[in-house]
């Protein structure tokens, strides 16, 4: 069974509008160090990342701690946007209501989901990997595993959050989130039952 820890990038500096070059804030850098401490115990066999700077800068210290390189992969980029949008929230809402909706030259959530699934299907069945990733991309995989949950998951997903997916024979068989207080991965009621408090 393959285990994939999807690490959402830490807090980015949104004053930088270039999606590829957007760095982490100082708070984001501190979040990254907390991830190093939290994930030190896991026996990762490889580290991958979206080539976007904020994802690379989040996963690299964790990979360094494990003595492994980060392999950048174009399949792991965030959902491509048509431009820097002042009405970002409205656009996001529309995309989650219709997973095939996008404005050129952007892409739909369904397209992101397909990209990420193709990456996951290419991993060995014994893989235990960490992936520097993005909120929409991670949530698109949650949506693939549990249809109708993706937007709720996206709305709750914080920076530097870690989502664990376990796959067997091409199917997601387990989904959990890192809980800092208990320092372990747990299936969260809010994923399965979004109406529960």
């Amino acid at each position: 069974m393959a285990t994939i820890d999807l690490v959402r990038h830490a807090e980015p500096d949104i004053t930088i509008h270039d999606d590829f070059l957007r760095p982490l804030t100082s708070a984001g850098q501190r979040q990254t160090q907390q991830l190093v401490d939290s994930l030190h115990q896991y026996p990762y066999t490889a580290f991958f990342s979206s080539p976007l700077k904020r994802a690379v800068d989040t996963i690299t210290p964790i990979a360094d701690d494990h003595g492994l390189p980060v392999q950048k992969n174009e399949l792991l980029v965030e959902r491509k946007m048509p431009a820097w949008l002042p009405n970002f929230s409205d656009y996001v809402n529309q995309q989650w209501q219709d997973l095939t909706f996008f404005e050129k030259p952007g892409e739909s959530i369904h397209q992101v989901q397909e990209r990420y699934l193709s990456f996951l299907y290419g991993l060995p069945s014994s893989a235990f990997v960490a992936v520097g990733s993005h909120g929409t991309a991670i949530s698109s995989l949650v949506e693939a595993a549990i249809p109708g949950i993706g937007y709720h998951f996206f709305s709750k997903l914080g920076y530097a959050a870690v989502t664990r997916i376990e796959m067997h024979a091409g199917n997601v068989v387990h989904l959990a989130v890192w809980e800092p207080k208990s320092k372990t991965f747990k299936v969260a009621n809010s994923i399965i039952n979004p109406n529960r408090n």
Side-chain angles (χ1 to χ4, degrees), residues 55-73:
V56 174
D57 289 354
T58 299
I59 202 73
T60 297
I62 307 166
D64 289 346
D65 181 59
H66 284 76
L68 292 169
V70 173
Q71 302 172 57
K72 298 176 189 175
N73 191 309

Side-chain angles (χ1 to χ4, degrees), residues 2-191:
T3 300
I4 305 100
D5 285 350
L6 298 157
V7 182
R8 187 185 186 188
H9 62 78
E11 182 182 82
D13 181 354
I14 60 171
T15 66
I16 307 300
H17 292 183
D18 187 314
D19 201 37
F20 280 83
L21 300 178
R22 189 172 307 126
L24 301 178
T25 63
S26 56
Q29 292 168 5
R30 290 192 297 274
Q31 290 170 341
T32 296
Q33 187 54 53
Q34 291 169 348
L35 285 171
V36 171
D37 297 339
S38 297
L39 301 179
H40 175 77
Q41 62 186 305
Y42 294 105
Y44 296 116
T45 57
F47 287 83
F48 298 92
S49 184
S50 156
L52 278 59
K53 180 174 173 56
R54 59 194 183 276
V56 174
D57 289 354
T58 299
I59 202 73
T60 297
I62 307 166
D64 289 346
D65 181 59
H66 284 76
L68 292 169
V70 173
Q71 302 172 57
K72 298 176 189 175
N73 191 309
E74 291 290 334
L75 290 174
L76 300 174
V77 298
E78 176 61 302
R79 168 212 38 207
K80 296 168 188 169
M81 298 293 286
W84 183 265
L85 299 174
N87 61 338
F88 178 75
S89 294
D90 292 341
Y91 186 80
V92 167
N93 289 337
Q94 188 167 358
Q95 287 207 295
W96 280 109
Q97 289 171 15
D98 176 0
L99 298 180
T100 65
F101 170 78
F102 69 99
E103 293 179 8
K104 293 182 179 180
E107 64 181 340
S108 70
I109 289 174
H110 180 71
Q111 288 170 313
V112 177
Q113 188 182 76
E114 289 298 307
R115 270 198 289 105
Y116 262 71
L117 286 171
S118 69
F119 170 80
L120 295 184
Y121 295 153
L123 293 172
S125 61
S126 60
F128 193 147
V129 304
V131 176
S133 188
H134 304 274
T136 301
I138 295 168
S139 302
S140 77
L141 290 174
V142 172
E143 176 69 21
I146 311 172
I149 298 298
Y151 178 74
H152 172 76
F153 186 85
F154 173 75
S155 69
K156 302 291 184 185
L157 189 65
Y159 292 124
V162 186
T163 305
R164 174 167 287 179
I165 289 179
E166 293 179 353
M167 297 189 72
H168 178 69
N171 295 309
V172 174
V173 296
H174 187 71
L175 181 65
V177 294
W178 175 257
E179 292 188 351
K181 289 182 181 178
S182 62
K183 297 184 179 179
T184 188
F185 284 92
K186 290 189 176 179
V187 175
N189 286 336
S190 62
I191 296 176

